[in-house]
Amino acid sequence: METSSLFSSDKTFIYSSIDGDCSSSKVHQAAQLIRDAYLGFQDAPVEGYYDPYDNDERTTRNAISVLCGRMVCQLRGAVVLVSWALFMLTFFEPPTWCRDASDLQIVASSRDDSSTHQFGDCKILFEAVGVTADEEENQALYPNFDAMLLTVTQSRNIEIVCISVIAIYMLLQFGDDGFSPSFFFYRGYKRLIHTSQCFILILFLLSILIDNTTFNPFLRVAILGTFLRGFQRELITLLKMIPDVLYVLSMLGIIVVFYAWFGVVMFIGTSQGAKFPNLFEGMWTLWISVTTANYPDVSMDSYNENRLVAIYWVSFMSISFFYIMNLILAVCTQQYDKNINDRKVSREELANELLSAAFTLLDHEDKGFVCRDSIFNVMAVLNQAFPKVNTMSSEEKCILYALLDKDGSDSVSLEEFRNFGLVLLFTLSKESDYVTLVETMLPSVYRSQWYARLSAVVKSNRFDTAVDAILVLNAMTIFMQDYSMLVGQGSVSQNTNALDTNWEKLETLFTALYVLEVILKITINGWKKYSESARNVFDFFITCVTILASFYVYYPNTYNDTHLIRFIVMTRVLRLTRLLFAIKSFRLLGAITLDILPASRDIFVVLLFVAYFFATLGQLLYGGRITRDPSNPLSYALLGATDFTGSAYWPNNFNDMFSSMNVLFNLLVVNNWTTCIEGFEYTTGGKTVRFFFLFFHLLCVTVISNVITSVVINSFFQQLEVIEQRYGHIERIEGTSIRGSQVFFAANVLTGTNTGVQGKYSARIKAVNFDVDVDERAVMRRVFGRSNHGQESNTHDSN
């Protein structure tokens, strides 16, 4: 029987009543080891944590430690969200470069105390509209994204609140470690992370005390990074990869130097020589060619004069672009594959090591097995102290225990115990959980013949086919409605808040049919089963949005634009993509794509953080450089960048965070990035700005983009095998049935062990780490079979 008391009268922690000789004072340490085996990482060994259950002399400290530990587990998600909010603060606050811009004439003539107090000088600059230096009227003089939603004071207050929450969370972590610096800063990962977090918080405090937040955006991304283990893992992988990439880049550098040297000598005195006036400019010209941003434009002057010069350009591009750049991709792919394999092996070795240590702690009498009571005590600890592990009901504990006790001996051997981490991967669902509201509230209706016929219709393929036909008709209707605009002959019509056209009436009819579809499916299948389908969730979301938009537009008010409804209805037609998934190849690709997204999430976070760093640095270095203010000399200098101004690249600037990120995204796409650089070269009056863009290109385009490609390739082949298994045959093992990604079984007897649980269940694997794929079928065979290697199964093709 579980108790709400943390400590008994003899100061020993009690999770539940512990009977028999199998009781162990080390149950908490064992549960901690099992948790680490389940998660696939260990912040510190057991001796690196304060154990409140093994110290009877400090009851108060022990109780506080337990309380702090539970709060740390419960609040971690909230603290991560707070850290993300702190990160996003940079996008909506006044940029630091314009908070004090008193040296600008436009500020001096418009400044007043209220605007300075609220937004610094940023509001004056960002709202300035007038005649530009090139005499265009009614234009923004300091182009920006118009996303400055917070005042300086609001930004500072939000930052203080977020920092305070993080500081309190760290204090709770300190309490979890018994207020002992030796545990809090235990050598290894804990010391690195906690030291980094404390140092960052001290820098935050100093910035507040001296009232200078110039470098706070860098601290924000740093503190967020300390809470994201996936980001840390991919960053380490990237850092390990860089030396090998540098070897290849050094080869490219040598080739660029050689060809630039040759080009300076060969093109001297020719029109091509304008791009090769010296070695530095020649190298820059060739580097731009490598990025394909201006090829073949860069070669046309010399090619027009002499066709044989094509040998120079073709040989250079063949070596640099076709060979070396692909060689970098090959290095990234090879290194990433190696790292993934190393992760998989290291996690398996770590799991075996930790589970063996946990077994030793529980088998304190060295009997060679762990009894049922000890296993249930461990599960109770996992439930109460470690929320990262799936919460288990009493029935689920019995089922999971049966999966461990494969020989039915009512005890768990070391070999069986080593499956503990795999067993915890499964989430269980009871058949009764899928009971519909009609079955519960209206049993007579549920048992009626007409309801049975309705259920058969809604669950049939014909019903889905009919809905697909409606979708096709809806798409055709929208196409005919918009045909005149699509061919460039229509115009935007005036709309009222009434259904005054046949098109609008027809769209409303389609909306009603979609609502009917949702109601029928939820009624017949129940919300739980309905919501397990990603396609159903998408349909439900679009239907709700369409209904809300329809009411808002057609209900008498000042807003009556029915184009909103038509746009949402067109979004609804995206459901037509499900027709593609009737084809096996498309179905496989779609399923693989959904599985690749979580696997690639962390590397995209790395890219986001690097871009954030460069965007913040760009604001400090080049904020306000792109301007059309006629009172600012920079605007006239910018007019000399004819490619930049001729392409109307004014919004491509570092005036605020969103604009900065847009510039960097343009660099990731590569095309025309030299046009953007030209504007900054003219406004800075030098070429050193090239190093900023060069470093970003090398890091993000040459390295991280190739790593992303490697992740996609690796994840694709990992998931391909898994998805093919899901759509493959049905396997039957020990009375269980494996269909798709689920195992279906009767709970009364599992692997020869009586569970005492009645009813039918299903189980699916909930991945913990998305970077290394789990062989679902192999794990299912191992866990649900009598042996750890699974058994031969009877199979048949699924229809």
Side-chain angles (χ1 to χ4, degrees), residues 484-603:
S484 59
M485 288 186 288
L486 294 175
V487 298
Q489 298 177 355
S491 60
V492 179
S493 59
Q494 297 295 324
N495 299 299
T496 66
N497 56 8
L499 298 174
D500 53 3
T501 69
N502 291 330
W503 294 121
E504 291 170 6
K505 294 176 181 178
L506 193 56
E507 287 174 358
T508 303
L509 175 61
F510 282 123
T511 300
L513 292 175
Y514 296 145
V515 171
L516 179 61
E517 176 211 0
V518 169
I519 293 175
L520 286 174
K521 284 190 172 181
I522 294 178
T523 302
I524 299 301
N525 297 314
W527 173 254
K528 183 176 177 62
K529 185 174 182 179
Y530 177 86
S531 60
E532 287 180 352
S533 169
R535 185 177 66 188
N536 287 341
V537 172
F538 175 77
D539 292 345
F540 181 80
F541 173 76
I542 295 298
T543 301
C544 290
V545 171
T546 304
I547 294 171
L548 292 175
S550 299
F551 276 113
Y552 186 65
V553 173
Y554 290 131
Y555 186 80
N557 55 65
T558 57
Y559 188 87
N560 57 15
D561 188 3
T562 54
H563 282 74
L564 173 64
I565 296 178
R566 290 167 57 190
F567 176 77
I568 295 175
V569 172
M570 289 182 66
T571 306
R572 173 80 176 184
V573 177
L574 289 176
R575 288 184 55 196
L576 284 171
T577 55
R578 79 184 198 181
L579 297 175
L580 296 176
F581 293 105
I583 305 172
K584 181 179 179 180
S585 299
F586 284 108
R587 187 167 65 248
L588 286 175
L589 289 175
I592 291 172
T593 300
L594 292 177
D595 286 338
I596 285 177
L597 293 177
S600 58
R601 176 193 60 196
D602 294 327
I603 189 61

Side-chain angles (χ1 to χ4, degrees), residues 126-143 628-630 650:
F126 287 177
E127 293 183 353
V129 176
V131 180
T132 65
D134 54 345
E135 300 182 348
E136 288 191 27
E137 297 182 355
N138 198 31
Q139 298 294 322
L141 302 185
Y142 288 84
R628 308 185 75 179
D629 179 9
W650 312 107

Side-chain angles (χ1 to χ4, degrees), residues 175-346:
D176 183 30
D177 282 320
F179 300 100
S180 171
S182 60
F183 288 117
F184 189 71
F185 295 106
Y186 191 85
R187 66 180 181 274
Y189 181 82
K190 283 184 69 175
R191 177 181 296 177
L192 175 63
I193 292 299
H194 290 165
T195 301
S196 299
Q197 291 172 340
C198 290
F199 180 69
I200 294 170
L201 289 182
I202 291 173
L203 292 179
F204 267 123
L205 179 61
L206 290 176
S207 70
I208 294 172
L209 292 177
I210 65 176
D211 195 24
N212 187 339
T213 60
T214 301
F215 299 102
N216 282 25
F218 299 106
L219 301 180
R220 295 168 186 170
V221 69
I223 195 70
L224 174 59
T226 62
F227 290 105
L228 303 179
R229 184 177 291 271
F231 158 76
Q232 299 164 16
R233 181 178 59 239
E234 296 299 342
L235 181 62
I236 292 173
T237 300
L238 185 65
L239 294 176
K240 290 180 179 179
M241 194 180 298
I242 285 179
D244 293 317
V245 175
L246 286 179
Y247 289 136
V248 183
L249 286 177
S250 64
M251 293 173 53
L252 177 61
I254 293 172
I255 293 171
V256 169
V257 170
F258 172 78
Y259 270 85
W261 192 339
F262 193 82
V264 170
V265 175
M266 182 172 64
F267 297 131
I268 190 170
T270 67
S271 58
Q272 187 71 59
K275 295 183 175 65
F276 288 83
N278 53 58
L279 182 62
F280 177 78
E281 289 294 331
M283 291 172 59
W284 183 250
T285 298
L286 292 177
W287 171 250
I288 294 173
S289 299
V290 173
T291 67
T292 67
N294 68 342
Y295 192 85
D297 295 2
V298 67
S299 65
M300 292 312 299
D301 290 337
S302 57
Y303 186 70
N304 284 329
E305 295 178 359
N306 190 336
R307 298 295 191 271
L308 291 178
V309 81
I311 298 174
Y312 172 86
W313 293 105
V314 171
S315 63
F316 173 75
M317 292 299 291
S318 297
I319 296 172
S320 61
F321 178 73
F322 289 107
Y323 175 66
I324 293 185
M325 298 306 288
N326 285 304
L327 185 61
I328 293 175
L329 174 60
V331 169
C332 291
T333 303
Q334 189 270 337
Q335 288 296 320
Y336 193 82
D337 287 347
K338 180 178 180 298
N339 188 271
I340 289 295
N341 291 330
D342 291 344
R343 289 183 200 175
K344 186 174 183 179
V345 172
S346 65

Side-chain angles (χ1 to χ4, degrees), residues 438 444-457 524:
V438 174
S444 59
V445 173
Y446 180 78
R447 291 191 296 268
S448 63
Q449 293 184 357
W450 69 266
Y451 186 84
R453 288 194 295 268
L454 178 62
S455 299
V457 171
I524 299 301

Side-chain angles (χ1 to χ4, degrees), residues 23 30 82 182 249 266 333-334 346 402 437 512 668 682 707 745 785:
S23 62
V82 168
S182 60
L249 286 177
M266 182 172 64
T333 303
Q334 189 270 337
S346 65
L437 188 63
L668 284 175
Y682 274 83
V707 173
F745 58 92

Side-chain angles (χ1 to χ4, degrees), residues 384-438:
Q384 296 183 34
F386 305 119
K388 288 185 178 180
V389 180
N390 295 328
T391 303
M392 296 166 281
S393 66
S394 58
E395 291 183 343
E396 290 173 342
K397 291 176 186 176
C398 294
I399 293 174
L400 297 181
Y401 175 78
L403 295 176
L404 288 175
D405 182 18
K406 292 182 177 297
D407 57 6
S409 61
D410 205 30
S411 62
V412 177
S413 66
L414 175 59
E415 182 181 5
E416 294 170 334
F417 193 84
R418 284 175 177 162
N419 285 334
F420 214 134
L422 297 178
V423 167
L424 292 176
L425 288 175
F426 285 90
T427 57
L428 304 177
S429 297
K430 195 174 183 179
E431 187 179 51
S432 59
D433 294 340
Y434 293 91
V435 174
T436 65
L437 188 63
V438 174

